[in-house]
Amino acid sequence: MDKFIINGGKKLSGTVKVSGAKNSSLAIMPATLLNNGKNVLTNTPEVNDIFTMIKLLKHLGVKAEFNNHTLELDTTDIISQEAPYDHVKKMRASVYVLGPLLAKYGYAKVSLPGGCAWGPRPINLHLEAMKKLGAEIELEGGYIIAKAKKLKGANIHFDISSVGATGNVLMAAVLAEGSTTISNAAIEPEIVQLADFLKDMGAQIEGIGTSTLKIEGVNELHPANVRTISDRIEAGTLLIAGALTRSKITLDYIDHEHINSVLWKLEDSGAKICKDNNLVTINAEGLSIKNVDVTTAIYPGFPTDMQAQWTAFMCLAEGVSSVTDNIYLDRFKHVPELNRLGADIEVRNNTAVVQGGRKLLGAKVMSTDLRASASLVLAGLAAKGETEVLRIYHIDRGYQRIEEKLQALGADIKRVPGTEF
Ligand code: EPU
């Protein structure tokens, strides 16, 4: 298994381009199952979760070509409506095929995703909403078996705002008979892009970007093309790399407003942010990092997917800070690993209490999930001496060759193939 070896303490400089958003592509790709023909998705990130989704779509009969971030998906000859355990266990987002398969083919058999690396992540909201649309749902042998001759529009209120449930139901409702209203819908940029893509396919959706979506079902949808938005979490992670190495770096990143919550917190820490057309520059040269509390929330709040990285950053701040995760209460697997690097963090319920002013020292640490591994790489960039980050297949799920981006900025990080677990 590959690992990273990082020699920390190097200042970063220069400009780096942010890749396309993994979580946008992961929603758009299964949406193509709703049409028949060739869809072209540009700016698709080359990350392992995308390769996993391609494998799943191929299993269903989709013809896929992926070259230089352009992904062509031809959905003309679908041969299966089953997402097997082997695919779903690798990536929970596989459950996104449920809505489109059910709506288009009247049947879907999708493995239940089970637990995830940091705790329970239920899909009850997806299933309850499908039932409201008239689907018959059974759970059998670890699989969701969903059937419906024709889905029927319904009023669906989500008690919790869920990215995945909103996306899945949206993909089901666009081909349902009649009107559907989704209230307390997710308004994350990835869901907005999914809804826009569905509209480009011929779907009738109103209220895009608001928490109430009104959908008028249509009989069929046609293929469409889309350029994936930039990855706001990769952007936030790289900005923190600049901040905790007290550097000045620039991101080539188009969708500024998607990361305002992170930019504002970075400004609170004392870093200077400058936005200019498609560039965002952070200047943290000579910075005494102020302690800044964060609490994660649904968009446009501070993203849970930036919580681990912020925790790493706050280890270097002047005082004590608290980092609370209200989306995933157990998402703190990175904390013991950061403590191995010399951090002093205690988890109290769903809050990490971070003692600032720590001198981080290189050590061997283990990635446990995608964002946890990003936090370890960040801490390694700031730590004195050598840090080895093991099990970096986690980071490869969602960051496109992160070491190359950091190297381009001047970091001393290398990928070492290895057998060590
Ligand atoms: N929830 C339920 N029941 C459900 C669905 C969700 O209780 O049926 C709860 C969850 O447990 C959580 C909250 O609702 O407390 C929000 O979860 P959500 O459904 O929004 O998350 P998701 O769709 O499973 C996506 C991203 C995650 C990101 C979350 C939150 C994708 C493929 N995944 O997951 O991304 O953390 O939204 O923003 O879009 C990542 O990229 O590292 C990642 C984990």
Side-chain angles (χ1 to χ4, degrees):
M1 264 180 219
D2 292 2
K3 62 183 175 187
F4 284 146
I5 297 186
I6 305 169
N7 269 298
K10 296 269 177 313
K11 264 190 102 169
L12 309 182
S13 64
T15 302
V16 75
K17 188 176 179 315
V18 174
S19 297
K22 164 186 81 91
N23 289 346
S24 206
S25 296
L26 287 177
I28 290 168
M29 291 166 69
T32 63
L33 290 166
L34 290 160
N35 62 51
N36 290 312
K38 195 166 93 180
N39 304 264
V40 183
L41 284 51
T42 52
N43 201 32
T44 309
E46 290 168 357
V47 298
N48 283 351
D49 275 7
I50 298 300
F51 298 124
T52 302
M53 184 60 88
I54 291 175
K55 274 191 199 137
L56 171 57
L57 294 179
K58 279 185 166 173
H59 170 86
L60 302 176
V62 175
K63 292 193 181 59
E65 295 280 342
F66 193 16
N67 287 308
N68 198 18
H69 305 111
T70 297
L71 177 61
E72 291 182 6
L73 297 173
D74 186 338
T75 51
T76 313
D77 299 311
I78 298 305
I79 49 167
S80 166
Q81 287 81 40
E82 184 173 333
Y85 179 59
D86 276 354
H87 292 278
V88 182
K89 76 172 184 213
K90 280 201 193 118
M91 187 183 68
R92 301 176 57 82
S94 308
V95 82
Y96 266 141
V97 300
L98 176 68
L101 287 176
L102 179 61
K104 176 97 186 287
Y105 298 96
Y107 176 79
K109 183 173 174 186
V110 178
S111 172
L112 277 163
C116 100
W118 66 79
R121 283 176 71 188
I123 55 158
N124 57 311
L125 298 174
H126 303 231
L127 301 185
E128 281 156 23
M130 296 300 168
K131 280 187 198 160
K132 277 209 143 184
L133 292 174
E136 213 179 278
I137 307 265
E138 280 170 43
L139 301 182
E140 205 180 285
Y143 278 80
I144 306 155
I145 298 171
K147 293 179 199 159
K149 276 211 179 82
K150 180 83 184 157
L151 293 174
K152 300 230 161 33
N155 292 328
I156 293 163
H157 174 79
F158 287 126
D159 290 337
I160 303 172
S161 171
S162 157
V163 172
T166 303
N168 227 339
V169 172
L170 196 50
M171 290 190 271
V174 288
L175 283 185
E177 201 178 287
S179 325
T180 297
T181 301
I182 308 177
S183 59
N184 199 22
I187 57 166
E188 271 66 6
E190 296 77 18
I191 291 298
V192 171
Q193 181 157 52
L194 170 67
D196 284 336
F197 179 61
L198 291 168
K199 267 192 95 164
D200 289 345
M201 284 165 53
Q204 290 185 20
I205 307 171
E206 279 175 27
I208 296 177
T210 75
S211 57
T212 304
L213 294 170
K214 289 191 194 306
I215 302 122
E216 199 56 48
V218 295
N219 285 332
E220 59 176 19
L221 295 165
H222 53 77
N225 302 335
V226 63
R227 179 183 165 81
T228 307
I229 55 171
S230 307
D231 196 305
R232 61 194 168 104
I233 306 302
E234 188 198 49
T237 305
L238 290 167
L239 287 169
I240 292 184
L244 52 48
T245 53
R246 280 126 171 141
S247 305
K248 182 177 173 192
I249 62 165
T250 299
L251 303 187
D252 184 349
Y253 176 74
I254 298 167
D255 307 289
H256 293 164
E257 76 281 10
H258 295 165
I259 50 166
N260 274 339
S261 60
V262 176
L263 295 179
W264 292 334
K265 287 290 176 184
L266 281 166
E267 282 176 338
D268 289 349
S269 79
K272 291 192 180 63
I273 302 287
C274 176
K275 302 187 216 174
D276 177 21
N277 292 320
N278 61 329
L279 300 177
V280 181
T281 299
I282 181 163
N283 185 350
E285 284 176 335
L287 179 67
S288 291
I289 301 165
K290 293 200 187 80
N291 44 328
V292 179
D293 297 345
V294 302
T295 299
T296 68
I298 56 171
Y299 187 82
F302 191 91
T304 171
D305 293 342
M306 285 299 300
Q307 180 260 107
Q309 300 89 315
W310 193 264
T311 303
F313 180 37
M314 282 301 104
C315 296
L316 305 166
E318 284 168 347
V320 183
S321 54
S322 66
V323 182
T324 300
D325 200 324
N326 279 337
I327 307 293
Y328 295 117
L329 308 184
D330 300 325
R331 195 178 196 178
F332 293 101
K333 285 272 170 41
H334 44 285
V335 165
E337 298 301 311
L338 288 171
N339 284 344
R340 282 181 54 70
L341 293 169
D344 181 355
I345 310 167
E346 194 190 329
V347 178
R348 298 185 196 148
N349 300 316
N350 59 329
T351 296
V353 179
V354 189
Q355 305 291 331
R358 306 299 295 181
K359 293 261 176 294
L360 301 181
L361 286 176
K364 254 189 200 184
V365 285
M366 180 96 80
S367 310
T368 49
D369 64 70
L370 170 57
R371 307 304 171 187
S373 52
S375 78
L376 299 177
V377 168
L378 291 175
L381 293 175
K384 190 161 185 271
E386 187 175 282
T387 297
E388 283 189 33
V389 184
L390 307 179
R391 299 195 180 180
I392 56 170
Y393 59 85
H394 287 292
I395 208 164
D396 291 335
R397 287 186 57 175
Y399 291 86
Q400 185 181 301
R401 297 184 290 279
I402 184 92
E403 76 281 18
E404 289 179 11
K405 293 191 182 179
L406 293 170
Q407 283 159 1
L409 293 172
D412 184 348
I413 173 170
K414 56 177 186 276
R415 178 183 293 262
V416 178
T419 51
E420 191 171 8
F421 284 83

PDB file of all heavy atoms in Angstrom, residues 129-140:
ATOM      1  N   ALA A 129     -38.625   8.117   1.326  1.00  0.00           N
ATOM      2  CA  ALA A 129     -39.076   8.986   0.237  1.00  0.00           C
ATOM      3  C   ALA A 129     -39.459   8.163  -0.995  1.00  0.00           C
ATOM      4  O   ALA A 129     -40.450   8.462  -1.666  1.00  0.00           O
ATOM      5  CB  ALA A 129     -37.987   9.995  -0.108  1.00  0.00           C
ATOM      6  N   MET A 130     -38.699   7.114  -1.278  1.00  0.00           N
ATOM      7  CA  MET A 130     -39.039   6.257  -2.436  1.00  0.00           C
ATOM      8  C   MET A 130     -40.410   5.612  -2.208  1.00  0.00           C
ATOM      9  O   MET A 130     -41.207   5.469  -3.128  1.00  0.00           O
ATOM     10  CB  MET A 130     -37.989   5.162  -2.662  1.00  0.00           C
ATOM     11  CG  MET A 130     -36.616   5.658  -3.021  1.00  0.00           C
ATOM     12  SD  MET A 130     -36.559   6.633  -4.527  1.00  0.00           S
ATOM     13  CE  MET A 130     -34.912   7.317  -4.388  1.00  0.00           C
ATOM     14  N   LYS A 131     -40.652   5.228  -0.949  1.00  0.00           N
ATOM     15  CA  LYS A 131     -41.957   4.635  -0.637  1.00  0.00           C
ATOM     16  C   LYS A 131     -43.060   5.659  -0.889  1.00  0.00           C
ATOM     17  O   LYS A 131     -44.110   5.342  -1.424  1.00  0.00           O
ATOM     18  CB  LYS A 131     -42.005   4.202   0.835  1.00  0.00           C
ATOM     19  CG  LYS A 131     -41.323   2.888   1.100  1.00  0.00           C
ATOM     20  CD  LYS A 131     -41.584   2.471   2.543  1.00  0.00           C
ATOM     21  CE  LYS A 131     -40.583   1.419   2.985  1.00  0.00           C
ATOM     22  NZ  LYS A 131     -40.475   1.316   4.432  1.00  0.00           N
ATOM     23  N   LYS A 132     -42.817   6.896  -0.502  1.00  0.00           N
ATOM     24  CA  LYS A 132     -43.817   7.959  -0.724  1.00  0.00           C
ATOM     25  C   LYS A 132     -44.102   8.145  -2.212  1.00  0.00           C
ATOM     26  O   LYS A 132     -45.194   8.526  -2.608  1.00  0.00           O
ATOM     27  CB  LYS A 132     -43.333   9.274  -0.120  1.00  0.00           C
ATOM     28  CG  LYS A 132     -43.614   9.401   1.358  1.00  0.00           C
ATOM     29  CD  LYS A 132     -43.778  10.847   1.737  1.00  0.00           C
ATOM     30  CE  LYS A 132     -44.849  10.995   2.791  1.00  0.00           C
ATOM     31  NZ  LYS A 132     -45.113  12.388   3.131  1.00  0.00           N
ATOM     32  N   LEU A 133     -43.077   7.890  -3.014  1.00  0.00           N
ATOM     33  CA  LEU A 133     -43.272   8.008  -4.472  1.00  0.00           C
ATOM     34  C   LEU A 133     -43.953   6.760  -5.035  1.00  0.00           C
ATOM     35  O   LEU A 133     -44.088   6.607  -6.237  1.00  0.00           O
ATOM     36  CB  LEU A 133     -41.929   8.231  -5.172  1.00  0.00           C
ATOM     37  CG  LEU A 133     -41.222   9.573  -4.916  1.00  0.00           C
ATOM     38  CD1 LEU A 133     -39.839   9.586  -5.558  1.00  0.00           C
ATOM     39  CD2 LEU A 133     -42.042  10.747  -5.451  1.00  0.00           C
ATOM     40  N   GLY A 134     -44.321   5.847  -4.144  1.00  0.00           N
ATOM     41  CA  GLY A 134     -45.103   4.679  -4.575  1.00  0.00           C
ATOM     42  C   GLY A 134     -44.291   3.413  -4.744  1.00  0.00           C
ATOM     43  O   GLY A 134     -44.820   2.399  -5.215  1.00  0.00           O
ATOM     44  N   ALA A 135     -43.015   3.437  -4.375  1.00  0.00           N
ATOM     45  CA  ALA A 135     -42.205   2.226  -4.544  1.00  0.00           C
ATOM     46  C   ALA A 135     -42.494   1.225  -3.432  1.00  0.00           C
ATOM     47  O   ALA A 135     -42.819   1.599  -2.309  1.00  0.00           O
ATOM     48  CB  ALA A 135     -40.718   2.585  -4.534  1.00  0.00           C
ATOM     49  N   GLU A 136     -42.398  -0.024  -3.807  1.00  0.00           N
ATOM     50  CA  GLU A 136     -42.482  -1.104  -2.816  1.00  0.00           C
ATOM     51  C   GLU A 136     -41.024  -1.428  -2.460  1.00  0.00           C
ATOM     52  O   GLU A 136     -40.214  -1.696  -3.360  1.00  0.00           O
ATOM     53  CB  GLU A 136     -43.064  -2.300  -3.547  1.00  0.00           C
ATOM     54  CG  GLU A 136     -43.924  -3.205  -2.746  1.00  0.00           C
ATOM     55  CD  GLU A 136     -44.404  -4.297  -3.703  1.00  0.00           C
ATOM     56  OE1 GLU A 136     -45.379  -4.048  -4.430  1.00  0.00           O
ATOM     57  OE2 GLU A 136     -43.744  -5.348  -3.721  1.00  0.00           O
ATOM     58  N   ILE A 137     -40.710  -1.350  -1.184  1.00  0.00           N
ATOM     59  CA  ILE A 137     -39.304  -1.563  -0.801  1.00  0.00           C
ATOM     60  C   ILE A 137     -39.213  -2.755   0.140  1.00  0.00           C
ATOM     61  O   ILE A 137     -39.941  -2.812   1.134  1.00  0.00           O
ATOM     62  CB  ILE A 137     -38.734  -0.320  -0.062  1.00  0.00           C
ATOM     63  CG1 ILE A 137     -38.942   0.959  -0.868  1.00  0.00           C
ATOM     64  CG2 ILE A 137     -37.297  -0.537   0.390  1.00  0.00           C
ATOM     65  CD1 ILE A 137     -37.806   1.399  -1.722  1.00  0.00           C
ATOM     66  N   GLU A 138     -38.335  -3.671  -0.187  1.00  0.00           N
ATOM     67  CA  GLU A 138     -38.059  -4.771   0.749  1.00  0.00           C
ATOM     68  C   GLU A 138     -36.562  -4.823   1.009  1.00  0.00           C
ATOM     69  O   GLU A 138     -35.770  -4.481   0.131  1.00  0.00           O
ATOM     70  CB  GLU A 138     -38.452  -6.102   0.107  1.00  0.00           C
ATOM     71  CG  GLU A 138     -39.937  -6.372   0.168  1.00  0.00           C
ATOM     72  CD  GLU A 138     -40.270  -7.571  -0.692  1.00  0.00           C
ATOM     73  OE1 GLU A 138     -39.509  -8.571  -0.643  1.00  0.00           O
ATOM     74  OE2 GLU A 138     -41.254  -7.482  -1.428  1.00  0.00           O
ATOM     75  N   LEU A 139     -36.220  -5.259   2.205  1.00  0.00           N
ATOM     76  CA  LEU A 139     -34.810  -5.461   2.518  1.00  0.00           C
ATOM     77  C   LEU A 139     -34.596  -6.960   2.626  1.00  0.00           C
ATOM     78  O   LEU A 139     -35.277  -7.630   3.404  1.00  0.00           O
ATOM     79  CB  LEU A 139     -34.439  -4.766   3.835  1.00  0.00           C
ATOM     80  CG  LEU A 139     -34.675  -3.258   3.869  1.00  0.00           C
ATOM     81  CD1 LEU A 139     -34.231  -2.671   5.209  1.00  0.00           C
ATOM     82  CD2 LEU A 139     -33.933  -2.551   2.740  1.00  0.00           C
ATOM     83  N   GLU A 140     -33.697  -7.480   1.818  1.00  0.00           N
ATOM     84  CA  GLU A 140     -33.536  -8.931   1.770  1.00  0.00           C
ATOM     85  C   GLU A 140     -32.071  -9.273   1.503  1.00  0.00           C
ATOM     86  O   GLU A 140     -31.490  -8.767   0.531  1.00  0.00           O
ATOM     87  CB  GLU A 140     -34.397  -9.459   0.614  1.00  0.00           C
ATOM     88  CG  GLU A 140     -34.822 -10.895   0.773  1.00  0.00           C
ATOM     89  CD  GLU A 140     -35.673 -11.301  -0.429  1.00  0.00           C
ATOM     90  OE1 GLU A 140     -36.845 -10.885  -0.498  1.00  0.00           O
ATOM     91  OE2 GLU A 140     -35.119 -12.002  -1.298  1.00  0.00           O
TER      92      GLU A 140
END
